[in-house]
Amino acid sequence: MDNLQTAPVIIGKLLNIGGMLQRYGNRVLMPFGLNQQQFSIFFEITKARKVKQKEMVNRLLLEKAHVSKVVKKLHKMELITITTSDEDKRSSWLAPTPKGKQLLSKCMQIFKKWNEEWLQDIDDKQLNAMLDNLTHLQAVFEDKIHEKE
């Protein structure tokens, strides 16, 4: 198969895998009152420890309105704090609360078990090769997205 035939198959498979992971992730996160998209934003905030909301939009390549809506929900759930920036009053700093860190720890235990179950039949060499290929593909896609902006 040449690139013109292979590319749509690859994109289709990635979309299919993404859909499966999102549906299963939503089921896993339901008891915590979160969905997969909300968790990904929450995870990035917690990983960064303190991050500007605008940076989250750029980092995750999501719509500003969507990130704002999720941030409000995470704040209402007392999982993050929102602090107005001293240098720019239009900008906000986001940081996890102790309650948020505790919830993240619980979720990560579940995700760790889930990842082990789903990937246990793939050997380390194959996993590393997939990771390298996906990392490269992600960089290519990010470059294409930034070219369009």
Side-chain angles (χ1 to χ4, degrees), residues 31-34 39 42 46 73-81 95-107:
F32 302 106
L34 296 172
F39 180 78
F42 172 59
T46 305
K73 177 177 178 158
L74 296 173
H75 184 255
K76 186 176 180 181
M77 293 175 71
E78 300 177 349
L79 300 178
I80 63 167
T81 60
T97 62
K99 179 181 175 181
K101 291 177 187 176
Q102 190 174 39
L103 179 81
L104 180 71
S105 178
K106 288 178 186 175
C107 291

mmCIF file of all heavy atoms in Angstrom, residues 31-34 39 42 46 73-81 95-107:
data_model
loop_
_atom_site.group_PDB
_atom_site.id
_atom_site.type_symbol
_atom_site.label_atom_id
_atom_site.label_comp_id
_atom_site.label_asym_id
_atom_site.label_seq_id
_atom_site.Cartn_x
_atom_site.Cartn_y
_atom_site.Cartn_z
ATOM 1 N N PRO A 31 -17.460 6.811 38.642
ATOM 2 C CA PRO A 31 -17.662 6.908 40.103
ATOM 3 C C PRO A 31 -17.013 8.143 40.730
ATOM 4 O O PRO A 31 -17.396 8.554 41.832
ATOM 5 C CB PRO A 31 -16.993 5.639 40.640
ATOM 6 C CG PRO A 31 -16.887 4.708 39.492
ATOM 7 C CD PRO A 31 -16.800 5.566 38.270
ATOM 8 N N PHE A 32 -16.064 8.754 40.040
ATOM 9 C CA PHE A 32 -15.377 9.936 40.555
ATOM 10 C C PHE A 32 -15.998 11.240 40.038
ATOM 11 O O PHE A 32 -15.515 12.333 40.330
ATOM 12 C CB PHE A 32 -13.890 9.890 40.180
ATOM 13 C CG PHE A 32 -13.198 8.661 40.682
ATOM 14 C CD1 PHE A 32 -12.860 7.641 39.805
ATOM 15 C CD2 PHE A 32 -12.906 8.497 42.029
ATOM 16 C CE1 PHE A 32 -12.225 6.494 40.256
ATOM 17 C CE2 PHE A 32 -12.273 7.360 42.498
ATOM 18 C CZ PHE A 32 -11.938 6.354 41.610
ATOM 19 N N GLY A 33 -17.047 11.123 39.224
ATOM 20 C CA GLY A 33 -17.733 12.299 38.698
ATOM 21 C C GLY A 33 -16.992 12.991 37.570
ATOM 22 O O GLY A 33 -17.224 14.172 37.301
ATOM 23 N N LEU A 34 -16.093 12.267 36.905
ATOM 24 C CA LEU A 34 -15.307 12.832 35.812
ATOM 25 C C LEU A 34 -15.458 11.988 34.559
ATOM 26 O O LEU A 34 -15.796 10.808 34.647
ATOM 27 C CB LEU A 34 -13.813 12.860 36.180
ATOM 28 C CG LEU A 34 -13.381 13.743 37.340
ATOM 29 C CD1 LEU A 34 -11.924 13.484 37.686
ATOM 30 C CD2 LEU A 34 -13.595 15.208 37.008
ATOM 31 N N PHE A 39 -10.659 14.387 33.012
ATOM 32 C CA PHE A 39 -9.532 13.801 33.717
ATOM 33 C C PHE A 39 -8.208 14.193 33.064
ATOM 34 O O PHE A 39 -7.229 14.472 33.765
ATOM 35 C CB PHE A 39 -9.648 12.269 33.779
ATOM 36 C CG PHE A 39 -8.490 11.641 34.504
ATOM 37 C CD1 PHE A 39 -8.443 11.651 35.878
ATOM 38 C CD2 PHE A 39 -7.438 11.083 33.803
ATOM 39 C CE1 PHE A 39 -7.353 11.096 36.565
ATOM 40 C CE2 PHE A 39 -6.354 10.529 34.463
ATOM 41 C CZ PHE A 39 -6.312 10.536 35.846
ATOM 42 N N PHE A 42 -7.428 17.622 34.246
ATOM 43 C CA PHE A 42 -7.096 17.528 35.674
ATOM 44 C C PHE A 42 -5.712 16.908 35.875
ATOM 45 O O PHE A 42 -4.899 17.402 36.657
ATOM 46 C CB PHE A 42 -8.180 16.713 36.386
ATOM 47 C CG PHE A 42 -7.870 16.373 37.811
ATOM 48 C CD1 PHE A 42 -7.637 17.366 38.745
ATOM 49 C CD2 PHE A 42 -7.828 15.056 38.221
ATOM 50 C CE1 PHE A 42 -7.351 17.056 40.066
ATOM 51 C CE2 PHE A 42 -7.549 14.734 39.533
ATOM 52 C CZ PHE A 42 -7.318 15.731 40.460
ATOM 53 N N THR A 46 -2.443 18.699 37.627
ATOM 54 C CA THR A 46 -1.800 18.082 38.789
ATOM 55 C C THR A 46 -0.338 17.772 38.495
ATOM 56 O O THR A 46 0.532 17.983 39.346
ATOM 57 C CB THR A 46 -2.570 16.811 39.209
ATOM 58 O OG1 THR A 46 -3.940 17.164 39.425
ATOM 59 C CG2 THR A 46 -2.016 16.223 40.481
ATOM 60 N N LYS A 73 -15.685 23.196 36.551
ATOM 61 C CA LYS A 73 -16.192 21.979 37.178
ATOM 62 C C LYS A 73 -15.185 21.419 38.191
ATOM 63 O O LYS A 73 -15.558 21.043 39.299
ATOM 64 C CB LYS A 73 -16.509 20.904 36.130
ATOM 65 C CG LYS A 73 -16.981 19.612 36.783
ATOM 66 C CD LYS A 73 -17.367 18.531 35.822
ATOM 67 C CE LYS A 73 -17.766 17.309 36.646
ATOM 68 N NZ LYS A 73 -18.599 16.396 35.969
ATOM 69 N N LEU A 74 -13.916 21.363 37.802
ATOM 70 C CA LEU A 74 -12.885 20.843 38.708
ATOM 71 C C LEU A 74 -12.777 21.708 39.962
ATOM 72 O O LEU A 74 -12.585 21.198 41.071
ATOM 73 C CB LEU A 74 -11.532 20.774 37.996
ATOM 74 C CG LEU A 74 -11.432 19.814 36.809
ATOM 75 C CD1 LEU A 74 -10.093 19.980 36.092
ATOM 76 C CD2 LEU A 74 -11.639 18.369 37.245
ATOM 77 N N HIS A 75 -12.939 23.016 39.794
ATOM 78 C CA HIS A 75 -12.902 23.934 40.937
ATOM 79 C C HIS A 75 -14.122 23.709 41.833
ATOM 80 O O HIS A 75 -14.002 23.653 43.062
ATOM 81 C CB HIS A 75 -12.844 25.382 40.443
ATOM 82 C CG HIS A 75 -12.717 26.376 41.531
ATOM 83 N ND1 HIS A 75 -13.763 27.158 41.951
ATOM 84 C CD2 HIS A 75 -11.645 26.715 42.301
ATOM 85 C CE1 HIS A 75 -13.360 27.935 42.924
ATOM 86 N NE2 HIS A 75 -12.078 27.687 43.164
ATOM 87 N N LYS A 76 -15.290 23.565 41.215
ATOM 88 C CA LYS A 76 -16.527 23.329 41.980
ATOM 89 C C LYS A 76 -16.430 22.011 42.763
ATOM 90 O O LYS A 76 -16.951 21.907 43.878
ATOM 91 C CB LYS A 76 -17.725 23.292 41.025
ATOM 92 C CG LYS A 76 -19.060 23.198 41.714
ATOM 93 C CD LYS A 76 -20.204 23.258 40.714
ATOM 94 C CE LYS A 76 -21.535 23.149 41.448
ATOM 95 N NZ LYS A 76 -22.666 23.170 40.526
ATOM 96 N N MET A 77 -15.746 21.017 42.180
ATOM 97 C CA MET A 77 -15.558 19.725 42.855
ATOM 98 C C MET A 77 -14.450 19.790 43.919
ATOM 99 O O MET A 77 -14.165 18.796 44.568
ATOM 100 C CB MET A 77 -15.209 18.641 41.828
ATOM 101 C CG MET A 77 -16.328 18.315 40.870
ATOM 102 S SD MET A 77 -15.785 17.137 39.594
ATOM 103 C CE MET A 77 -15.615 15.630 40.574
ATOM 104 N N GLU A 78 -13.817 20.956 44.051
ATOM 105 C CA GLU A 78 -12.724 21.194 45.002
ATOM 106 C C GLU A 78 -11.484 20.358 44.704
ATOM 107 O O GLU A 78 -10.740 19.977 45.600
ATOM 108 C CB GLU A 78 -13.197 20.986 46.444
ATOM 109 C CG GLU A 78 -14.337 21.903 46.836
ATOM 110 C CD GLU A 78 -14.854 21.646 48.235
ATOM 111 O OE1 GLU A 78 -14.487 20.629 48.863
ATOM 112 O OE2 GLU A 78 -15.657 22.473 48.699
ATOM 113 N N LEU A 79 -11.256 20.092 43.407
ATOM 114 C CA LEU A 79 -10.081 19.329 42.993
ATOM 115 C C LEU A 79 -8.916 20.250 42.627
ATOM 116 O O LEU A 79 -7.761 19.823 42.663
ATOM 117 C CB LEU A 79 -10.423 18.428 41.804
ATOM 118 C CG LEU A 79 -11.522 17.395 42.050
ATOM 119 C CD1 LEU A 79 -11.795 16.603 40.781
ATOM 120 C CD2 LEU A 79 -11.161 16.483 43.196
ATOM 121 N N ILE A 80 -9.232 21.503 42.273
ATOM 122 C CA ILE A 80 -8.189 22.481 41.929
ATOM 123 C C ILE A 80 -8.533 23.831 42.545
ATOM 124 O O ILE A 80 -9.692 24.095 42.886
ATOM 125 C CB ILE A 80 -8.003 22.653 40.401
ATOM 126 C CG1 ILE A 80 -9.270 23.210 39.753
ATOM 127 C CG2 ILE A 80 -7.575 21.356 39.740
ATOM 128 C CD1 ILE A 80 -9.069 23.707 38.327
ATOM 129 N N THR A 81 -7.500 24.671 42.647
ATOM 130 C CA THR A 81 -7.711 26.068 43.018
ATOM 131 C C THR A 81 -7.496 26.921 41.773
ATOM 132 O O THR A 81 -6.755 26.544 40.867
ATOM 133 C CB THR A 81 -6.731 26.523 44.113
ATOM 134 O OG1 THR A 81 -5.390 26.370 43.633
ATOM 135 C CG2 THR A 81 -6.928 25.727 45.391
ATOM 136 N N ALA A 95 -4.020 25.032 40.251
ATOM 137 C CA ALA A 95 -3.198 24.124 41.048
ATOM 138 C C ALA A 95 -4.099 23.087 41.707
ATOM 139 O O ALA A 95 -5.254 23.382 42.043
ATOM 140 C CB ALA A 95 -2.427 24.901 42.112
ATOM 141 N N PRO A 96 -3.597 21.873 41.914
ATOM 142 C CA PRO A 96 -4.410 20.841 42.565
ATOM 143 C C PRO A 96 -4.553 21.110 44.066
ATOM 144 O O PRO A 96 -3.656 21.675 44.689
ATOM 145 C CB PRO A 96 -3.609 19.554 42.319
ATOM 146 C CG PRO A 96 -2.203 20.026 42.197
ATOM 147 C CD PRO A 96 -2.267 21.384 41.551
ATOM 148 N N THR A 97 -5.669 20.716 44.598
ATOM 149 C CA THR A 97 -5.892 20.776 46.043
ATOM 150 C C THR A 97 -5.451 19.439 46.652
ATOM 151 O O THR A 97 -5.253 18.460 45.918
ATOM 152 C CB THR A 97 -7.383 20.987 46.357
ATOM 153 O OG1 THR A 97 -8.112 19.853 45.850
ATOM 154 C CG2 THR A 97 -7.923 22.271 45.748
ATOM 155 N N PRO A 98 -5.335 19.365 47.973
ATOM 156 C CA PRO A 98 -5.054 18.056 48.598
ATOM 157 C C PRO A 98 -6.108 17.004 48.219
ATOM 158 O O PRO A 98 -5.774 15.854 47.930
ATOM 159 C CB PRO A 98 -5.071 18.362 50.097
ATOM 160 C CG PRO A 98 -4.648 19.801 50.176
ATOM 161 C CD PRO A 98 -5.279 20.454 48.953
ATOM 162 N N LYS A 99 -7.376 17.431 48.166
ATOM 163 C CA LYS A 99 -8.448 16.516 47.746
ATOM 164 C C LYS A 99 -8.214 16.044 46.312
ATOM 165 O O LYS A 99 -8.409 14.871 45.993
ATOM 166 C CB LYS A 99 -9.806 17.223 47.858
ATOM 167 C CG LYS A 99 -10.986 16.385 47.424
ATOM 168 C CD LYS A 99 -12.296 17.167 47.554
ATOM 169 C CE LYS A 99 -13.471 16.382 47.016
ATOM 170 N NZ LYS A 99 -14.730 17.128 47.116
ATOM 171 N N GLY A 100 -7.781 16.952 45.447
ATOM 172 C CA GLY A 100 -7.500 16.607 44.059
ATOM 173 C C GLY A 100 -6.346 15.627 43.942
ATOM 174 O O GLY A 100 -6.405 14.668 43.170
ATOM 175 N N LYS A 101 -5.282 15.859 44.703
ATOM 176 C CA LYS A 101 -4.132 14.956 44.682
ATOM 177 C C LYS A 101 -4.530 13.559 45.150
ATOM 178 O O LYS A 101 -4.077 12.558 44.597
ATOM 179 C CB LYS A 101 -3.006 15.500 45.554
ATOM 180 C CG LYS A 101 -2.357 16.739 44.993
ATOM 181 C CD LYS A 101 -1.304 17.270 45.957
ATOM 182 C CE LYS A 101 -0.757 18.598 45.510
ATOM 183 N NZ LYS A 101 0.186 19.160 46.484
ATOM 184 N N GLN A 102 -5.394 13.512 46.155
ATOM 185 C CA GLN A 102 -5.867 12.223 46.679
ATOM 186 C C GLN A 102 -6.695 11.489 45.621
ATOM 187 O O GLN A 102 -6.523 10.286 45.400
ATOM 188 C CB GLN A 102 -6.692 12.469 47.945
ATOM 189 C CG GLN A 102 -7.036 11.228 48.726
ATOM 190 C CD GLN A 102 -7.736 11.583 50.032
ATOM 191 O OE1 GLN A 102 -8.560 12.493 50.089
ATOM 192 N NE2 GLN A 102 -7.410 10.845 51.076
ATOM 193 N N LEU A 103 -7.576 12.217 44.929
ATOM 194 C CA LEU A 103 -8.392 11.605 43.879
ATOM 195 C C LEU A 103 -7.512 11.119 42.728
ATOM 196 O O LEU A 103 -7.726 10.018 42.213
ATOM 197 C CB LEU A 103 -9.437 12.594 43.355
ATOM 198 C CG LEU A 103 -10.308 12.028 42.241
ATOM 199 C CD1 LEU A 103 -11.416 11.169 42.822
ATOM 200 C CD2 LEU A 103 -10.884 13.128 41.393
ATOM 201 N N LEU A 104 -6.530 11.920 42.359
ATOM 202 C CA LEU A 104 -5.634 11.516 41.285
ATOM 203 C C LEU A 104 -4.921 10.214 41.637
ATOM 204 O O LEU A 104 -4.797 9.318 40.799
ATOM 205 C CB LEU A 104 -4.607 12.602 40.972
ATOM 206 C CG LEU A 104 -3.647 12.230 39.849
ATOM 207 C CD1 LEU A 104 -4.356 12.219 38.514
ATOM 208 C CD2 LEU A 104 -2.465 13.166 39.817
ATOM 209 N N SER A 105 -4.487 10.088 42.863
ATOM 210 C CA SER A 105 -3.801 8.873 43.299
ATOM 211 C C SER A 105 -4.707 7.642 43.149
ATOM 212 O O SER A 105 -4.280 6.600 42.653
ATOM 213 C CB SER A 105 -3.351 9.032 44.753
ATOM 214 O OG SER A 105 -2.724 7.871 45.211
ATOM 215 N N LYS A 106 -5.963 7.780 43.542
ATOM 216 C CA LYS A 106 -6.927 6.669 43.398
ATOM 217 C C LYS A 106 -7.128 6.313 41.922
ATOM 218 O O LYS A 106 -7.132 5.139 41.548
ATOM 219 C CB LYS A 106 -8.278 7.042 44.009
ATOM 220 C CG LYS A 106 -8.294 7.097 45.513
ATOM 221 C CD LYS A 106 -9.669 7.533 45.999
ATOM 222 C CE LYS A 106 -9.678 7.745 47.497
ATOM 223 N NZ LYS A 106 -10.971 8.283 47.977
ATOM 224 N N CYS A 107 -7.302 7.344 41.102
ATOM 225 C CA CYS A 107 -7.521 7.117 39.669
ATOM 226 C C CYS A 107 -6.301 6.463 39.028
ATOM 227 O O CYS A 107 -6.437 5.551 38.207
ATOM 228 C CB CYS A 107 -7.833 8.431 38.962
ATOM 229 S SG CYS A 107 -9.430 9.154 39.380
#
